[in-house]
Amino acid sequence: MARLPAPLPYQTQVAIFSRLRDANPAPVTELQHQNPYQLLVAVALSAQSTDAGVNRATEDLFDRIHTPQQMLELGQDGLTEAIKTIGLFRQKAQNVIRMSQILVDDYGGQVPSSRAALMSLPGVGRKTANVILNCVFGQPAQAVDTHIFRVCNRTRIAPGRDVDEVERGIEDNIPAEFQQNAHHWLILHGRYICQARRPRCPICPINDLCPYEEKTA
């Protein structure tokens, strides 16, 4: 098995995240929501779908549905119809209804604050749980998606063979002062600058600090 490249030195990490922070001091998720429950639903729906696509599907839904109980009253058929424009909508609707029932029965309709409890919910994996822990409960949890995986390997911020290694690399290598917002900065950087097919290197704010060899002109 090929050895992973070493992560960037500490001072380079500080320089990179200082620039990302200067450009966006208070980053937030692009998934539209009005409360923790809606964010949990939105993140669960976002698997293999874009945030923009989820937002279009939930715009009207979230005007009507604010709680797990209201979701149960809407029912699986009503939810399926509301989210039919996103991928895997039937399975996702089933998961959200089951999840909502558990939240009502076991958590008083509230979103739990532990990773184990979140990951026990239907349709909630580690990435979804980490988004909730970070965005709702202020924990420096790192939700690694395809954008973050790509950026961390290209830049050597946190090289890893899989998302778990990258998550550990972020926790181990990114300075503590940037941990809370690291995954927001990284996902936005991957979404809008360090794109998969053709990274926008000429406008990248960390171009001179990035060791990626195949920079675009």
Side-chain angles (χ1 to χ4, degrees), residues 143-210:
V144 179
D145 69 350
T146 56
H147 295 301
I148 295 177
F149 183 83
R150 178 177 66 254
V151 170
C152 285
N153 277 287
R154 272 184 181 168
T155 62
R156 289 188 15 226
I157 286 173
R161 298 178 185 88
D162 55 39
V163 294
D164 292 333
E165 279 192 326
V166 169
E167 181 181 336
R168 289 193 298 271
I170 293 173
E171 294 170 347
D172 291 344
N173 297 299
I174 294 177
E177 65 179 297
F178 304 109
Q179 286 280 332
Q180 180 61 42
N181 288 321
H183 97 270
H184 288 300
W185 287 317
L186 290 169
I187 194 171
L188 293 171
H189 190 69
R191 186 172 289 162
Y192 298 111
I193 303 294
C194 195
Q195 296 171 334
R197 295 185 178 180
R198 186 172 175 82
R200 305 173 70 193
C201 300
I203 65 169
C204 175
I206 61 170
N207 187 314
D208 59 314
L209 301 171
C210 171

Side-chain angles (χ1 to χ4, degrees), residues 19-109:
R19 292 184 190 181
L20 296 178
R21 180 176 61 188
D22 289 345
N24 188 359
V28 296
T29 177
E30 293 189 320
L31 287 169
Q32 296 173 2
H33 64 283
Q34 301 169 44
N35 61 36
Y37 171 69
Q38 288 185 346
L39 180 59
L40 178 60
V41 172
V43 181
L45 295 179
S46 70
Q48 300 182 46
S49 301
T50 66
D51 286 3
V54 172
N55 288 339
R56 286 192 294 270
T58 59
E59 184 176 6
D60 292 335
L61 177 69
F62 285 170
D63 282 342
R64 298 177 288 135
I65 306 300
H66 298 86
T67 68
Q69 184 59 50
Q70 289 176 336
M71 188 69 78
L72 293 175
E73 292 167 3
L74 175 65
Q76 186 170 328
D77 289 345
L79 178 58
T80 300
E81 178 65 22
I83 64 170
K84 64 183 180 181
T85 57
I86 64 175
L88 305 175
F89 65 96
R90 290 187 178 86
Q91 182 61 51
K92 289 177 180 179
Q94 182 181 48
N95 285 339
V96 168
I97 293 298
R98 291 169 57 211
M99 174 181 74
S100 300
Q101 189 67 64
I102 293 171
L103 291 177
V104 169
D105 292 345
D106 297 345
Y107 297 100

